[in-house]
């Protein structure tokens, strides 16, 4: 079959050829997998060089795309992390946000809707979860979420912190009667 006839045959039988190739791949799936694995092992350096060449040739295009689509990429990554890290759907996350009226469950500060592309990490509510059970508890602002984490999610430590703040805010306490200099802290 000459080249022109072959080209015409391929053009006229695209769907038939596509189905034949698909059937072949299904029947010989394991053989193809083994062949690919063998090829990659035998040609590691060649493949690495091709990847490097492609990376170097397309670096400006990649950077241009990243700069042009920062907000879109940030939102896509946020959606991915919600599912991967907390095993809840994006829709469930939005329902939680709306159930809390867009406010932090602790301090009540309002944060942007999570679907806004141009919002940065400190502009949105974060998923709070128990690190021991992995159970999602609610949505918190950055500050409240970090505060709970820093205090090891320990209720006793949180109560001590509250008592400490109450003690020092109820009256002006001189340094000599406060903590330190041999004086125990009154809240412990």
């Amino acid at each position: 079959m000459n080249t022109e006839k072959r080209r015409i045959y391929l053009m006229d039988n695209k769907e038939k050829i596509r189905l034949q190739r698909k059937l072949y791949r299904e029947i010989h799936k394991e053989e193809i997998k083994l062949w690919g694995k063998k090829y990659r092992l035998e040609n590691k350096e060649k493949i690495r060089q091709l990847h490097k060449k492609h990376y170097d040739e397309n670096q400006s295009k990649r950077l241009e795309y990243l700069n042009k689509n920062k907000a879109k990429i940030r939102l896509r990554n946020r959606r991915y992390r919600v599912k991967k890290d907390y095993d809840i759907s994006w829709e469930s996350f939005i329902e939680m946000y709306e159930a809390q009226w867009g406010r932090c469950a602790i301090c009540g500060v309002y944060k942007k809707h999570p679907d806004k592309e141009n919002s940065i990490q400190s502009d949105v509510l974060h998923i709070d979860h128990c690190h021991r059970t992995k159970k999602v508890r609610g949505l918190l602002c950055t500050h409240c979420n970090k505060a709970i984490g820093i205090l090891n999610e320990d209720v006793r430590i949180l109560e001590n912190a509250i008592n400490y703040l109450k003690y020092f805010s109820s009256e002006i306490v001189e340094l000599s009667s406060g903590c330190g200099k041999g004086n125990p802290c009154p809240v412990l």
Side-chain angles (χ1 to χ4, degrees):
M1 188 181 279
N2 70 24
T3 319
E4 185 59 28
K5 284 184 180 178
R6 178 173 167 73
R7 191 183 67 75
I8 292 170
Y9 173 80
L10 292 173
M11 293 298 289
D12 292 343
N13 296 289
K14 274 185 179 178
E15 188 61 23
K16 180 181 174 185
I17 293 168
R18 188 185 69 76
L19 291 173
Q20 286 174 337
R21 288 177 177 171
K22 183 178 179 183
L23 180 63
Y24 179 87
R25 285 191 304 270
E26 287 174 7
I27 293 171
H28 298 92
K29 188 176 182 178
E30 289 303 314
E31 293 171 51
I32 293 169
K33 194 188 255 186
L34 289 172
W35 178 85
K37 190 174 183 178
K38 180 182 174 191
Y39 178 85
R40 286 188 298 277
L41 284 171
E42 292 172 355
N43 297 285
K44 273 184 180 179
E45 188 58 30
K46 180 181 176 183
I47 292 169
R48 191 188 69 72
Q49 287 175 351
L50 285 172
H51 285 181
K52 184 176 180 351
K53 179 182 174 190
H54 178 77
Y55 180 87
D56 292 342
E57 288 174 355
N58 294 291
Q59 190 168 9
S60 61
K61 287 180 189 177
R62 188 174 45 261
L63 291 174
E64 181 183 326
Y65 175 82
L66 292 173
N67 287 330
K68 187 177 174 185
N69 297 291
K70 275 183 183 176
K72 187 178 180 179
I73 293 167
R74 187 181 297 129
L75 180 59
R76 183 189 66 206
N77 290 344
R78 187 179 302 143
R79 287 177 175 221
Y80 171 77
R81 276 193 345 269
V82 163
K83 180 66 179 166
K84 180 182 172 285
D85 295 347
Y86 307 105
D87 197 29
I88 62 170
S89 68
W90 185 252
E91 291 73 25
S92 298
F93 178 56
I94 298 299
E95 286 174 18
M96 289 172 65
Y97 175 86
E98 290 170 354
Q100 288 184 206
W101 298 88
R103 298 191 175 279
C104 173
I106 293 177
C107 70
V109 68
Y110 177 79
K111 293 292 184 173
K112 287 183 183 178
H113 195 279
D115 265 335
K116 298 285 187 242
E117 284 186 359
N118 60 351
S119 57
I120 57 173
Q121 189 164 350
S122 61
D123 290 342
V124 295
L125 294 175
H126 301 277
I127 298 174
D128 175 45
H129 68 288
C130 175
H131 287 93
R132 191 173 35 83
T133 64
K134 306 294 185 218
K135 184 179 177 189
V136 173
R137 296 185 282 223
L139 303 178
L140 302 177
C141 70
T142 303
H143 297 298
C144 292
N145 194 30
K146 285 181 180 178
I148 285 178
I150 289 168
L151 297 174
N152 297 322
E153 300 179 10
D154 188 328
V155 175
R156 187 180 51 77
I157 296 173
L158 286 166
E159 287 171 346
N160 286 345
I162 291 167
N163 292 335
Y164 177 85
L165 290 173
K166 282 181 179 178
Y167 177 79
F168 282 101
S169 65
S170 62
E171 59 185 69
I172 298 175
V173 180
E174 291 182 31
L175 283 176
S176 62
S177 65
C179 300
K181 294 188 179 179
N183 297 329
C185 190
V187 294
L188 296 179

